[in-house]
Amino acid sequence: AQSVTQPDIHITVSEGASLELRCNYSYGATPYLFWYVQSPGQGLQLLLKYFSGDTLVQGIKGFEAEFKRSQSSFNLRKPSVHWSDAAEYFCAVGAHGGSQGNLIFGKGTKLSVKP
Amino acid sequence: DGGITQSPKYLFRKEGQNVTLSCEQNLNHDAMYWYRQDPGQGLRLIYYSQIVNDFQKGDIAEGYSVSREKKESFPLTVTSAQKNPTAFYLCASSMGTPGEQYFGPGTRLTVT
């Protein structure tokens, strides 16, 4: 069965520092991969997605992610974090087979930003 | 503007009462989804519908029911059989496979 693991529950970085949020997935074929961001009490907003092609994907708000098949990873990165990036981040993998279109979500990583 | 609306934002009910959460989209998406979110649990799929008049159970459907009579609407009823209904509920829609999902702002349900 497909699954997504986000190893870090909570990360704190200083404003201006670089950021990397980890995501590992379990899936037999080429997955569809997504990163979402959620501010407290709000819905989720799509940051970026990977379906095929170039393994380095650019998203909104200056985020990027790299698909590494050999490591089953899809880590999210940002070169310089802003205070407004404080939120919870979810990695997701797209399901195949009978439930096509469904997403399997990781449990999220909460990002805090120090001034 | 196209999007997904959920109402109300906050909902309070007494134990033993059924309650219906509204979800409407004007994105012309075929598929719609309901998730439950609890702290530290991520998102768990309750029900999904890939086409009008059809829906399937997700991972945690017990104690919930849905209908999909119109493409734009996918209401979720939390029944009195749901043992722990207090949670944040998110509705989403997508165009199809492998399309990304678009989320509404959520409804926080508190049952006392």
Side-chain angles (χ1 to χ4, degrees):
Chain A
Q2 293 140 328
S3 65
V4 176
T5 301
Q6 294 180 246
D8 303 304
I9 296 173
H10 190 187
I11 283 182
T12 300
V13 300
S14 297
E15 191 167 15
S18 64
L19 170 70
E20 183 168 25
L21 301 182
R22 296 182 291 163
C23 173
N24 293 98
Y25 66 89
S26 171
Y27 184 65
T30 300
Y32 308 133
L33 294 161
F34 306 83
W35 274 102
Y36 285 86
V37 61
Q38 184 183 33
S39 297
Q42 302 296 317
L44 276 68
Q45 181 184 20
L46 179 71
L47 284 175
L48 47 79
K49 61 190 178 189
Y50 172 79
F51 290 167
S52 65
D54 192 346
T55 57
L56 185 62
V57 180
Q58 302 298 320
I60 62 171
K61 305 186 180 189
F63 286 92
E64 67 178 26
E66 186 171 12
F67 169 58
K68 293 186 177 180
R69 183 189 302 276
S70 61
Q71 299 177 19
S72 297
S73 70
F74 189 57
N75 293 350
L76 182 71
R77 302 193 295 245
K78 187 169 185 179
S80 176
V81 168
H82 188 261
W83 64 266
S84 60
D85 293 324
E88 191 156 19
Y89 292 79
F90 292 93
C91 182
V93 62
H96 289 246
S99 55
Q100 284 186 0
N102 290 7
L103 299 183
I104 313 277
F105 286 86
K107 294 191 175 182
T109 298
K110 184 176 181 181
L111 173 66
S112 297
V113 180
K114 291 190 300 186
Chain B
D1 274 341
I4 301 176
T5 57
Q6 292 186 244
S7 60
K9 179 74 172 171
Y10 299 95
L11 194 51
F12 298 88
R13 281 294 182 270
K14 294 290 188 185
E15 202 171 301
Q17 293 178 336
N18 291 355
V19 59
T20 297
L21 282 60
S22 168
C23 178
E24 304 276 334
Q25 56 100 356
N26 61 4
L27 300 167
N28 199 33
H29 285 170
D30 288 318
M32 296 187 74
Y33 308 83
W34 274 107
Y35 294 92
R36 171 181 171 134
Q37 188 176 26
D38 298 282
Q41 295 293 317
L43 278 70
R44 293 183 289 169
L45 183 64
I46 304 173
Y47 269 98
Y48 64 100
S49 167
Q50 294 180 331
I51 197 167
V52 174
N53 292 323
D54 189 41
F55 50 83
Q56 282 78 42
K57 293 181 179 180
D59 301 318
I60 56 164
E62 185 175 348
Y64 300 96
S65 65
V66 294
S67 62
R68 185 86 188 276
E69 297 175 1
K70 298 187 299 183
K71 188 175 186 177
E72 308 80 44
S73 179
F74 191 41
L76 173 74
T77 297
V78 184
T79 75
S80 56
Q82 169 49 235
K83 290 184 172 33
N84 186 18
T86 295
F88 189 55
Y89 291 88
L90 286 161
C91 179
S93 70
S94 73
M95 180 63 76
T97 304
E100 61 267 34
Q101 292 183 14
Y102 295 84
F103 283 81
T107 292
R108 183 165 299 280
L109 172 64
T110 302
V111 177
T112 57

